[in-house]
């Protein structure tokens, strides 16, 4: 019924006659050597709406052009609204290529909406009578009922926005298949000789929350779906991190993972671990189910998510009106004067440990049943970088000798966008496969949101009384690039905190050098200064290290199981690594409480300027490694030059923003007027007078304000 009704509204099933005809037309076009353009859509009503553009040829397969997240244009983090700004930016990109909206051959949705509607109805019925409570819930972590009406009108809204003659037909692609196809296709794993296992671990999909696949000889085959939106690792972590950490869903998970490092991460001694583990039932065949005798979020996720048995373990959950209250938010700085903080940190550690147990249970079954030793992990759960490292350490040579009777160890890869900002790409990637296109080249980086800023746009954004600016160089030549990189390292060596704004923005949740705030990893005060005066966030939050490959190998234990494509798995801040013994003394700002770092390796071919900056840091401070955190303050990463300047205004401790235009021109911008600290102008004057042959400053200069 849902399929029929949605077809009337312009939504077509992926096996419908309309879709079959469209695939045949695209196959014919590819066979003629023509280029095909596919658009993947994240529609209103589900979080992280947006649009991806993929170019496909028969010779080279799919190639990502842009993946525009609406939150970057609207400023509304994890927005569920109609992606007008993302679509407008898509048209600008197309027109720069000599194309337009009419050249898009197919529009694909990132959810299979008929399946999703059927699953929601089924979920209510299966959980009767408790399921009736769900009908009172207006939104959840994945769905916003207020925006669903916009979703049903999407074919007409597209026609109206772009002045088209008819509404735009949409083809519905399965949510977890989108996750799996993109993540496998973008991975460095070749499946021509041995199987590759793919695990989609999610908050929810359109049929379930856990889906398992195997890739063999270029084909993906789904092995299992748990057919439940409640037996979900994502929901388990979101509910507890929110109700115990004091943040809202989608903001709580990463913070709580950071908090876990401050608690007791020993399964033998953590006072909550064994009792909390009973919230999940670990069944045969890798199945993980929610213990409904303890947890109540399958029917009332916000107001009463715990049953009494869970209250007896964790205490009463924080209510929605208590979230973001300073007295409720979990902060490590409260340890000295709040006796319950240590207890709350142990609860965070127990939650992380149980979560890791569940991941291991699922992956154990998947690897045994497929005989694979290579795993692609995706879905929102794959953003848990600590759990990812745990998988690599658990599935070692001893496990494979016992389970598969061979000498091997787990090789693991996660995409840079494992969560829902990546399924727009996945929808287009999967459709390209259905049309017979080859796999294409693996993606090596994530700089695909919007276009590089024009010089005129930067100049316009700098026209403000409270912003001072001046041109400082040009990176369009290697010499000019190395000069700017040296200036950046010179300032950071003096404990400057600088932002780098260059090129197209990264897609996904991590800034990787194009929208980044950079600082000195050797300065012990960097963490406090960044968290308190730049980002205005909890001290519980770690800072991430970006490094050259050589520096990463010197200071961190890079695991063999992440070594494919020259340790490509460490490129995206989705995998932590244990630091080596000498690292904490040398680079204390990027070593977390548990001795780990969520590392990013930078390659010269992917990001020449950031790589040159790291090499320059090696000359100035002795390590080719920098603090890297997102260029934002309590909101989405800055996308436009105007947003970059607004972020500068909001951040008292940010010394300077280096704005790089599409033509390579570099402009420095800093606080003007009464807010001008004089730091940048002093550094710039001193730098112009120095010998730039690479002498390291002494420690007194390095840490001087």
């Amino acid at each position: 019924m849902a399929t029929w009704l949605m077809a009337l509204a312009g939504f077509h099933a992926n096996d419908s006659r309309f879709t079959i005809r469209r695939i045949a037309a695209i196959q014919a076009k590819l066979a003629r050597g023509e280029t095909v353009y596919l658009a993947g859509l994240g529609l209103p009503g589900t979080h992280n709406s947006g649009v991806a553009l993929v170019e496909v040829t028969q010779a080279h397969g799919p190639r990502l052009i842009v993946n525009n997240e609406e939150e970057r244009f609207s400023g509304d983090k994890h927005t569920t609204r109609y992606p007008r700004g993302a679509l407008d930016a898509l048209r600008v990109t197309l027109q720069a290529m000599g194309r337009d909206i009419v050249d898009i051959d197919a529009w694909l949705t990132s959810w299979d909406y008929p399946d999703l509607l059927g699953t929601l109805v089924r979920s209510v019925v299966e959980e009767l009578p408790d399921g009736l409570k769900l009908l009172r819930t207006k939104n959840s972590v994945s769905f916003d009922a207020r925006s669903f009406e916009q979703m049903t009108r999407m074919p007409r809204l597209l026609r109206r926005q772009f002045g088209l003659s008819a509404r735009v037909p949409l083809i519905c692609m399965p949510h977890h298949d989108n996750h799996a196809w993109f993540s496998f296709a973008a991975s460095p794993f070749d499946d021509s000789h041995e199987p590759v296992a793919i695990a989609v671990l999610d908050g929810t999909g359109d049929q379930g929350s856990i889906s398992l696949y195997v890739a063999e000889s270029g084909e993906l085959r789904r092995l299992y779906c748990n057919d439940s939106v409640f037996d979900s690792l994502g929901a388990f972590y979101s509910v507890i991190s929110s109700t115990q950490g004091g943040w809202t869903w989608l903001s709580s998970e990463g913070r709580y993972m950071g908090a876990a490092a401050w608690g007791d991460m020993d399964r033998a001694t953590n006072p909550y671990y064994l009792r909390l583990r009973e919230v999940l039932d670990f069944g045969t065949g890798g199945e993980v189910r929610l213990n409904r005798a303890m947890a109540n979020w399958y029917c009332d996720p916000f107001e009463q998510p715990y049953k009494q048995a869970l209250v007896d373990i964790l205490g009463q959950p924080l209510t929605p009106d208590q979230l973001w209250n300073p007295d409720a938010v979990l902060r490590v700085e409260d340890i000295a004067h709040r006796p319950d903080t240590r207890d709350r940190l142990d609860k965070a550690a127990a939650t992380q440990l149980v979560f890791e147990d569940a991941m291991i249970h699922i992956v154990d079954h998947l690897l045994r049943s497929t005989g694979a030793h290579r795993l692609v992990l995706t879905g929102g759960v794959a953003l848990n970088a600590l759990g990812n490292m745990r998988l690599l350490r658990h599935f070692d040579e001893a496990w494979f000798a016992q389970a598969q009777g061979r000498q091997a160890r787990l090789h693991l890869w996660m995409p840079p966008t494992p969560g829902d900002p990546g399924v727009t790409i996945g929808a287009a990637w999967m459709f390209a496969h259905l049309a017979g296109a080859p796999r294409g080249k693996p993606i090596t980086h994530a700089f695909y949101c919007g276009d590089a800023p024009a010089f005129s746009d930067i100049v316009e954004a700098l026209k403000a009384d409270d912003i001072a600016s001046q041109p400082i160089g040009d990176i369009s030549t290697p010499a000019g690039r190395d000069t700017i990189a040296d200036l950046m390292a010179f300032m950071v060596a003096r404990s400057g905190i600088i932002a780098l704004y260059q090129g197209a923005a990264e897609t996904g949740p991590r800034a990787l050098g194009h929208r980044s705030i950079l600082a000195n990893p050797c300065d012990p005060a960097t963490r406090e200064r960044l968290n308190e005066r730049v980002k205005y966030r909890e001290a519980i939050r770690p800072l991430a290290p970006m490094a050259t490959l050589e520096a990463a190998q010197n200071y961190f234990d890079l695991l063999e199981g992440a070594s494919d494509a020259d340790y490509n798995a460490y490129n995206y801040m989705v995998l932590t690594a244990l630091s080596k013994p000498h690292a904490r003394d040398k680079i204390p700002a990027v070593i977390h409480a548990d001795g780990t770092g969520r590392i990013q390796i930078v390659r010269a071919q992917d990001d020449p300027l950031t790589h040159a900056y790291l090499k320059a840091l090696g000359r100035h401070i002795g390590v080719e490694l920098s603090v890297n955190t997102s260029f934002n303050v309590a909101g989405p990463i800055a996308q436009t030059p105007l947003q970059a300047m607004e972020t500068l205004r909001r951040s008292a401790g940010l010394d300077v923003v280096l704005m790089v235009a599409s033509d390579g021109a570099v402009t420095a911008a800093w606080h003007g007027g009464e807010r001008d600290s004089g730091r940048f102008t002093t550094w710039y004057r001193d730098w112009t007078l120095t010998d730039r042959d690479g002498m390291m400053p002494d420690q007194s200069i390095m840490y001087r304000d």
Side-chain angles (χ1 to χ4, degrees), residues 485-491 493-494 613 615-623 687 690-692 694-698 702:
D486 189 79
L487 171 61
M488 293 166 61
F490 183 91
M491 294 187 289
R494 283 144 183 80
Y613 155 69
K615 298 297 287 186
L617 272 182
R619 299 189 297 272
H620 282 273
I621 64 175
V623 294
W687 173 76
T690 58
D691 175 3
R692 296 177 203 164
M695 298 299 292
M696 283 175 50
D698 62 37
M702 192 182 302

PDB file of all heavy atoms in Angstrom, residues 485-491 493-494 613 615-623 687 690-692 694-698 702:
ATOM      1  N   ALA A 485      52.975  27.947   4.365  1.00  0.00           N
ATOM      2  CA  ALA A 485      53.082  26.860   5.337  1.00  0.00           C
ATOM      3  C   ALA A 485      54.081  27.209   6.431  1.00  0.00           C
ATOM      4  O   ALA A 485      53.862  26.907   7.616  1.00  0.00           O
ATOM      5  CB  ALA A 485      53.494  25.568   4.630  1.00  0.00           C
ATOM      6  N   ASP A 486      55.181  27.860   6.058  1.00  0.00           N
ATOM      7  CA  ASP A 486      56.179  28.238   7.055  1.00  0.00           C
ATOM      8  C   ASP A 486      55.631  29.299   8.007  1.00  0.00           C
ATOM      9  O   ASP A 486      55.877  29.253   9.218  1.00  0.00           O
ATOM     10  CB  ASP A 486      57.439  28.754   6.363  1.00  0.00           C
ATOM     11  CG  ASP A 486      58.584  28.952   7.339  1.00  0.00           C
ATOM     12  OD1 ASP A 486      59.227  27.941   7.704  1.00  0.00           O
ATOM     13  OD2 ASP A 486      58.812  30.103   7.771  1.00  0.00           O
ATOM     14  N   LEU A 487      54.863  30.260   7.474  1.00  0.00           N
ATOM     15  CA  LEU A 487      54.246  31.264   8.335  1.00  0.00           C
ATOM     16  C   LEU A 487      53.284  30.601   9.322  1.00  0.00           C
ATOM     17  O   LEU A 487      53.263  30.949  10.511  1.00  0.00           O
ATOM     18  CB  LEU A 487      53.508  32.297   7.488  1.00  0.00           C
ATOM     19  CG  LEU A 487      52.627  33.297   8.260  1.00  0.00           C
ATOM     20  CD1 LEU A 487      53.458  34.118   9.233  1.00  0.00           C
ATOM     21  CD2 LEU A 487      51.863  34.202   7.289  1.00  0.00           C
ATOM     22  N   MET A 488      52.493  29.671   8.841  1.00  0.00           N
ATOM     23  CA  MET A 488      51.565  28.965   9.726  1.00  0.00           C
ATOM     24  C   MET A 488      52.323  28.268  10.851  1.00  0.00           C
ATOM     25  O   MET A 488      51.951  28.379  12.033  1.00  0.00           O
ATOM     26  CB  MET A 488      50.767  27.934   8.928  1.00  0.00           C
ATOM     27  CG  MET A 488      49.803  28.529   7.909  1.00  0.00           C
ATOM     28  SD  MET A 488      49.183  27.297   6.716  1.00  0.00           S
ATOM     29  CE  MET A 488      48.360  26.142   7.816  1.00  0.00           C
ATOM     30  N   ALA A 489      53.378  27.555  10.502  1.00  0.00           N
ATOM     31  CA  ALA A 489      54.152  26.841  11.517  1.00  0.00           C
ATOM     32  C   ALA A 489      54.835  27.811  12.478  1.00  0.00           C
ATOM     33  O   ALA A 489      54.937  27.539  13.684  1.00  0.00           O
ATOM     34  CB  ALA A 489      55.190  25.947  10.831  1.00  0.00           C
ATOM     35  N   PHE A 490      55.305  28.934  11.972  1.00  0.00           N
ATOM     36  CA  PHE A 490      55.944  29.960  12.806  1.00  0.00           C
ATOM     37  C   PHE A 490      54.982  30.435  13.890  1.00  0.00           C
ATOM     38  O   PHE A 490      55.348  30.559  15.063  1.00  0.00           O
ATOM     39  CB  PHE A 490      56.381  31.123  11.914  1.00  0.00           C
ATOM     40  CG  PHE A 490      57.113  32.231  12.626  1.00  0.00           C
ATOM     41  CD1 PHE A 490      58.502  32.210  12.739  1.00  0.00           C
ATOM     42  CD2 PHE A 490      56.418  33.297  13.172  1.00  0.00           C
ATOM     43  CE1 PHE A 490      59.178  33.243  13.385  1.00  0.00           C
ATOM     44  CE2 PHE A 490      57.087  34.331  13.817  1.00  0.00           C
ATOM     45  CZ  PHE A 490      58.465  34.308  13.923  1.00  0.00           C
ATOM     46  N   MET A 491      53.729  30.704  13.514  1.00  0.00           N
ATOM     47  CA  MET A 491      52.745  31.188  14.486  1.00  0.00           C
ATOM     48  C   MET A 491      52.362  30.089  15.478  1.00  0.00           C
ATOM     49  O   MET A 491      52.265  30.336  16.689  1.00  0.00           O
ATOM     50  CB  MET A 491      51.502  31.706  13.758  1.00  0.00           C
ATOM     51  CG  MET A 491      51.763  32.950  12.917  1.00  0.00           C
ATOM     52  SD  MET A 491      50.259  33.688  12.212  1.00  0.00           S
ATOM     53  CE  MET A 491      49.813  32.467  10.980  1.00  0.00           C
ATOM     54  N   ALA A 493      54.146  27.587  16.395  1.00  0.00           N
ATOM     55  CA  ALA A 493      55.286  27.344  17.283  1.00  0.00           C
ATOM     56  C   ALA A 493      55.304  28.313  18.456  1.00  0.00           C
ATOM     57  O   ALA A 493      55.862  28.011  19.516  1.00  0.00           O
ATOM     58  CB  ALA A 493      56.594  27.449  16.499  1.00  0.00           C
ATOM     59  N   ARG A 494      54.698  29.472  18.290  1.00  0.00           N
ATOM     60  CA  ARG A 494      54.586  30.461  19.368  1.00  0.00           C
ATOM     61  C   ARG A 494      53.245  30.355  20.094  1.00  0.00           C
ATOM     62  O   ARG A 494      52.759  31.296  20.698  1.00  0.00           O
ATOM     63  CB  ARG A 494      54.790  31.857  18.794  1.00  0.00           C
ATOM     64  CG  ARG A 494      56.280  32.122  18.522  1.00  0.00           C
ATOM     65  CD  ARG A 494      56.544  32.944  17.299  1.00  0.00           C
ATOM     66  NE  ARG A 494      57.999  33.060  17.101  1.00  0.00           N
ATOM     67  CZ  ARG A 494      58.758  32.114  16.546  1.00  0.00           C
ATOM     68  NH1 ARG A 494      58.213  30.996  16.105  1.00  0.00           N
ATOM     69  NH2 ARG A 494      60.062  32.276  16.426  1.00  0.00           N
ATOM     70  N   TYR A 613      52.523  22.427   5.728  1.00  0.00           N
ATOM     71  CA  TYR A 613      52.487  23.008   7.077  1.00  0.00           C
ATOM     72  C   TYR A 613      53.043  22.028   8.106  1.00  0.00           C
ATOM     73  O   TYR A 613      53.848  22.405   8.979  1.00  0.00           O
ATOM     74  CB  TYR A 613      51.045  23.397   7.416  1.00  0.00           C
ATOM     75  CG  TYR A 613      50.721  23.456   8.875  1.00  0.00           C
ATOM     76  CD1 TYR A 613      51.253  24.452   9.697  1.00  0.00           C
ATOM     77  CD2 TYR A 613      49.862  22.522   9.456  1.00  0.00           C
ATOM     78  CE1 TYR A 613      50.947  24.499  11.056  1.00  0.00           C
ATOM     79  CE2 TYR A 613      49.547  22.568  10.799  1.00  0.00           C
ATOM     80  CZ  TYR A 613      50.089  23.550  11.599  1.00  0.00           C
ATOM     81  OH  TYR A 613      49.786  23.591  12.938  1.00  0.00           O
ATOM     82  N   LYS A 615      55.184  19.603   7.556  1.00  0.00           N
ATOM     83  CA  LYS A 615      56.634  19.508   7.338  1.00  0.00           C
ATOM     84  C   LYS A 615      57.340  20.726   7.943  1.00  0.00           C
ATOM     85  O   LYS A 615      58.416  20.605   8.536  1.00  0.00           O
ATOM     86  CB  LYS A 615      56.935  19.405   5.850  1.00  0.00           C
ATOM     87  CG  LYS A 615      56.360  18.176   5.161  1.00  0.00           C
ATOM     88  CD  LYS A 615      56.917  16.863   5.692  1.00  0.00           C
ATOM     89  CE  LYS A 615      58.344  16.630   5.237  1.00  0.00           C
ATOM     90  NZ  LYS A 615      58.830  15.275   5.631  1.00  0.00           N
ATOM     91  N   ALA A 616      56.717  21.908   7.800  1.00  0.00           N
ATOM     92  CA  ALA A 616      57.304  23.121   8.381  1.00  0.00           C
ATOM     93  C   ALA A 616      57.302  23.054   9.908  1.00  0.00           C
ATOM     94  O   ALA A 616      58.242  23.526  10.562  1.00  0.00           O
ATOM     95  CB  ALA A 616      56.541  24.350   7.898  1.00  0.00           C
ATOM     96  N   LEU A 617      56.251  22.466  10.495  1.00  0.00           N
ATOM     97  CA  LEU A 617      56.233  22.296  11.954  1.00  0.00           C
ATOM     98  C   LEU A 617      57.413  21.445  12.403  1.00  0.00           C
ATOM     99  O   LEU A 617      57.982  21.674  13.482  1.00  0.00           O
ATOM    100  CB  LEU A 617      54.929  21.635  12.393  1.00  0.00           C
ATOM    101  CG  LEU A 617      53.731  22.527  12.682  1.00  0.00           C
ATOM    102  CD1 LEU A 617      52.552  21.687  13.151  1.00  0.00           C
ATOM    103  CD2 LEU A 617      54.057  23.587  13.732  1.00  0.00           C
ATOM    104  N   GLY A 618      57.771  20.463  11.599  1.00  0.00           N
ATOM    105  CA  GLY A 618      58.935  19.644  11.943  1.00  0.00           C
ATOM    106  C   GLY A 618      60.187  20.479  12.084  1.00  0.00           C
ATOM    107  O   GLY A 618      61.029  20.220  12.962  1.00  0.00           O
ATOM    108  N   ARG A 619      60.316  21.509  11.255  1.00  0.00           N
ATOM    109  CA  ARG A 619      61.482  22.380  11.348  1.00  0.00           C
ATOM    110  C   ARG A 619      61.389  23.334  12.536  1.00  0.00           C
ATOM    111  O   ARG A 619      62.399  23.682  13.138  1.00  0.00           O
ATOM    112  CB  ARG A 619      61.638  23.181  10.052  1.00  0.00           C
ATOM    113  CG  ARG A 619      61.841  22.330   8.807  1.00  0.00           C
ATOM    114  CD  ARG A 619      62.216  23.172   7.596  1.00  0.00           C
ATOM    115  NE  ARG A 619      61.170  24.119   7.220  1.00  0.00           N
ATOM    116  CZ  ARG A 619      60.172  23.837   6.393  1.00  0.00           C
ATOM    117  NH1 ARG A 619      60.073  22.619   5.872  1.00  0.00           N
ATOM    118  NH2 ARG A 619      59.275  24.757   6.073  1.00  0.00           N
ATOM    119  N   HIS A 620      60.165  23.754  12.877  1.00  0.00           N
ATOM    120  CA  HIS A 620      59.996  24.771  13.920  1.00  0.00           C
ATOM    121  C   HIS A 620      59.887  24.189  15.329  1.00  0.00           C
ATOM    122  O   HIS A 620      60.388  24.801  16.285  1.00  0.00           O
ATOM    123  CB  HIS A 620      58.752  25.619  13.625  1.00  0.00           C
ATOM    124  CG  HIS A 620      58.970  26.648  12.566  1.00  0.00           C
ATOM    125  ND1 HIS A 620      59.464  27.902  12.838  1.00  0.00           N
ATOM    126  CD2 HIS A 620      58.763  26.612  11.222  1.00  0.00           C
ATOM    127  CE1 HIS A 620      59.556  28.598  11.716  1.00  0.00           C
ATOM    128  NE2 HIS A 620      59.133  27.838  10.712  1.00  0.00           N
ATOM    129  N   ILE A 621      59.187  23.053  15.479  1.00  0.00           N
ATOM    130  CA  ILE A 621      59.003  22.509  16.837  1.00  0.00           C
ATOM    131  C   ILE A 621      59.519  21.081  16.976  1.00  0.00           C
ATOM    132  O   ILE A 621      59.453  20.500  18.057  1.00  0.00           O
ATOM    133  CB  ILE A 621      57.527  22.565  17.275  1.00  0.00           C
ATOM    134  CG1 ILE A 621      56.650  21.675  16.391  1.00  0.00           C
ATOM    135  CG2 ILE A 621      57.008  24.005  17.282  1.00  0.00           C
ATOM    136  CD1 ILE A 621      55.189  21.586  16.848  1.00  0.00           C
ATOM    137  N   GLY A 622      60.016  20.521  15.893  1.00  0.00           N
ATOM    138  CA  GLY A 622      60.623  19.201  15.989  1.00  0.00           C
ATOM    139  C   GLY A 622      59.678  18.041  15.777  1.00  0.00           C
ATOM    140  O   GLY A 622      60.098  16.884  15.843  1.00  0.00           O
ATOM    141  N   VAL A 623      58.385  18.295  15.514  1.00  0.00           N
ATOM    142  CA  VAL A 623      57.440  17.221  15.222  1.00  0.00           C
ATOM    143  C   VAL A 623      56.573  17.624  14.033  1.00  0.00           C
ATOM    144  O   VAL A 623      56.102  18.760  13.962  1.00  0.00           O
ATOM    145  CB  VAL A 623      56.526  16.879  16.424  1.00  0.00           C
ATOM    146  CG1 VAL A 623      57.336  16.291  17.567  1.00  0.00           C
ATOM    147  CG2 VAL A 623      55.739  18.075  16.899  1.00  0.00           C
ATOM    148  N   TRP A 687      58.195  37.206  11.658  1.00  0.00           N
ATOM    149  CA  TRP A 687      58.443  36.161  10.664  1.00  0.00           C
ATOM    150  C   TRP A 687      59.133  36.731   9.431  1.00  0.00           C
ATOM    151  O   TRP A 687      60.026  36.095   8.861  1.00  0.00           O
ATOM    152  CB  TRP A 687      57.115  35.513  10.284  1.00  0.00           C
ATOM    153  CG  TRP A 687      57.204  34.529   9.152  1.00  0.00           C
ATOM    154  CD1 TRP A 687      57.697  33.261   9.199  1.00  0.00           C
ATOM    155  CD2 TRP A 687      56.775  34.741   7.811  1.00  0.00           C
ATOM    156  NE1 TRP A 687      57.597  32.668   7.965  1.00  0.00           N
ATOM    157  CE2 TRP A 687      57.029  33.556   7.093  1.00  0.00           C
ATOM    158  CE3 TRP A 687      56.188  35.826   7.139  1.00  0.00           C
ATOM    159  CZ2 TRP A 687      56.731  33.418   5.742  1.00  0.00           C
ATOM    160  CZ3 TRP A 687      55.880  35.693   5.795  1.00  0.00           C
ATOM    161  CH2 TRP A 687      56.160  34.499   5.106  1.00  0.00           C
ATOM    162  N   THR A 690      62.870  36.835   9.970  1.00  0.00           N
ATOM    163  CA  THR A 690      63.623  35.651  10.397  1.00  0.00           C
ATOM    164  C   THR A 690      64.325  34.982   9.227  1.00  0.00           C
ATOM    165  O   THR A 690      63.948  35.130   8.059  1.00  0.00           O
ATOM    166  CB  THR A 690      62.693  34.610  11.043  1.00  0.00           C
ATOM    167  OG1 THR A 690      61.675  34.248  10.106  1.00  0.00           O
ATOM    168  CG2 THR A 690      62.064  35.141  12.312  1.00  0.00           C
ATOM    169  N   ASP A 691      65.334  34.193   9.591  1.00  0.00           N
ATOM    170  CA  ASP A 691      65.993  33.305   8.646  1.00  0.00           C
ATOM    171  C   ASP A 691      65.118  32.057   8.532  1.00  0.00           C
ATOM    172  O   ASP A 691      64.900  31.363   9.518  1.00  0.00           O
ATOM    173  CB  ASP A 691      67.378  32.937   9.180  1.00  0.00           C
ATOM    174  CG  ASP A 691      68.089  31.919   8.297  1.00  0.00           C
ATOM    175  OD1 ASP A 691      67.532  31.554   7.252  1.00  0.00           O
ATOM    176  OD2 ASP A 691      69.191  31.489   8.680  1.00  0.00           O
ATOM    177  N   ARG A 692      64.624  31.768   7.355  1.00  0.00           N
ATOM    178  CA  ARG A 692      63.657  30.679   7.212  1.00  0.00           C
ATOM    179  C   ARG A 692      64.299  29.377   6.777  1.00  0.00           C
ATOM    180  O   ARG A 692      63.689  28.571   6.074  1.00  0.00           O
ATOM    181  CB  ARG A 692      62.569  31.077   6.208  1.00  0.00           C
ATOM    182  CG  ARG A 692      61.756  32.258   6.698  1.00  0.00           C
ATOM    183  CD  ARG A 692      60.749  32.698   5.682  1.00  0.00           C
ATOM    184  NE  ARG A 692      60.388  34.096   5.907  1.00  0.00           N
ATOM    185  CZ  ARG A 692      59.774  34.847   5.033  1.00  0.00           C
ATOM    186  NH1 ARG A 692      59.469  34.365   3.853  1.00  0.00           N
ATOM    187  NH2 ARG A 692      59.489  36.103   5.309  1.00  0.00           N
ATOM    188  N   GLY A 694      64.870  27.022   8.705  1.00  0.00           N
ATOM    189  CA  GLY A 694      64.331  25.895   9.460  1.00  0.00           C
ATOM    190  C   GLY A 694      64.906  25.724  10.844  1.00  0.00           C
ATOM    191  O   GLY A 694      64.934  24.613  11.356  1.00  0.00           O
ATOM    192  N   MET A 695      65.374  26.759  11.506  1.00  0.00           N
ATOM    193  CA  MET A 695      65.871  26.632  12.868  1.00  0.00           C
ATOM    194  C   MET A 695      64.703  26.513  13.835  1.00  0.00           C
ATOM    195  O   MET A 695      63.716  27.234  13.740  1.00  0.00           O
ATOM    196  CB  MET A 695      66.731  27.843  13.241  1.00  0.00           C
ATOM    197  CG  MET A 695      67.968  28.000  12.377  1.00  0.00           C
ATOM    198  SD  MET A 695      69.096  26.598  12.502  1.00  0.00           S
ATOM    199  CE  MET A 695      69.650  26.794  14.209  1.00  0.00           C
ATOM    200  N   MET A 696      64.817  25.588  14.769  1.00  0.00           N
ATOM    201  CA  MET A 696      63.777  25.443  15.779  1.00  0.00           C
ATOM    202  C   MET A 696      63.927  26.526  16.838  1.00  0.00           C
ATOM    203  O   MET A 696      65.033  26.787  17.308  1.00  0.00           O
ATOM    204  CB  MET A 696      63.886  24.079  16.481  1.00  0.00           C
ATOM    205  CG  MET A 696      63.354  22.916  15.679  1.00  0.00           C
ATOM    206  SD  MET A 696      63.657  21.355  16.518  1.00  0.00           S
ATOM    207  CE  MET A 696      63.023  21.705  18.152  1.00  0.00           C
ATOM    208  N   PRO A 697      62.806  27.182  17.255  1.00  0.00           N
ATOM    209  CA  PRO A 697      62.880  28.142  18.350  1.00  0.00           C
ATOM    210  C   PRO A 697      63.086  27.418  19.672  1.00  0.00           C
ATOM    211  O   PRO A 697      62.769  26.241  19.797  1.00  0.00           O
ATOM    212  CB  PRO A 697      61.510  28.818  18.316  1.00  0.00           C
ATOM    213  CG  PRO A 697      60.610  27.790  17.727  1.00  0.00           C
ATOM    214  CD  PRO A 697      61.449  27.022  16.740  1.00  0.00           C
ATOM    215  N   ASP A 698      63.618  28.134  20.643  1.00  0.00           N
ATOM    216  CA  ASP A 698      63.766  27.485  21.947  1.00  0.00           C
ATOM    217  C   ASP A 698      62.413  27.459  22.655  1.00  0.00           C
ATOM    218  O   ASP A 698      61.450  28.089  22.259  1.00  0.00           O
ATOM    219  CB  ASP A 698      64.832  28.182  22.803  1.00  0.00           C
ATOM    220  CG  ASP A 698      64.490  29.629  23.126  1.00  0.00           C
ATOM    221  OD1 ASP A 698      63.299  29.921  23.353  1.00  0.00           O
ATOM    222  OD2 ASP A 698      65.410  30.459  23.162  1.00  0.00           O
ATOM    223  N   MET A 702      58.669  29.246  22.209  1.00  0.00           N
ATOM    224  CA  MET A 702      57.599  28.388  21.725  1.00  0.00           C
ATOM    225  C   MET A 702      56.310  28.575  22.516  1.00  0.00           C
ATOM    226  O   MET A 702      55.219  28.562  21.958  1.00  0.00           O
ATOM    227  CB  MET A 702      58.048  26.927  21.816  1.00  0.00           C
ATOM    228  CG  MET A 702      57.154  25.948  21.076  1.00  0.00           C
ATOM    229  SD  MET A 702      57.732  24.262  21.286  1.00  0.00           S
ATOM    230  CE  MET A 702      59.392  24.367  20.664  1.00  0.00           C
TER     231      MET A 702
END
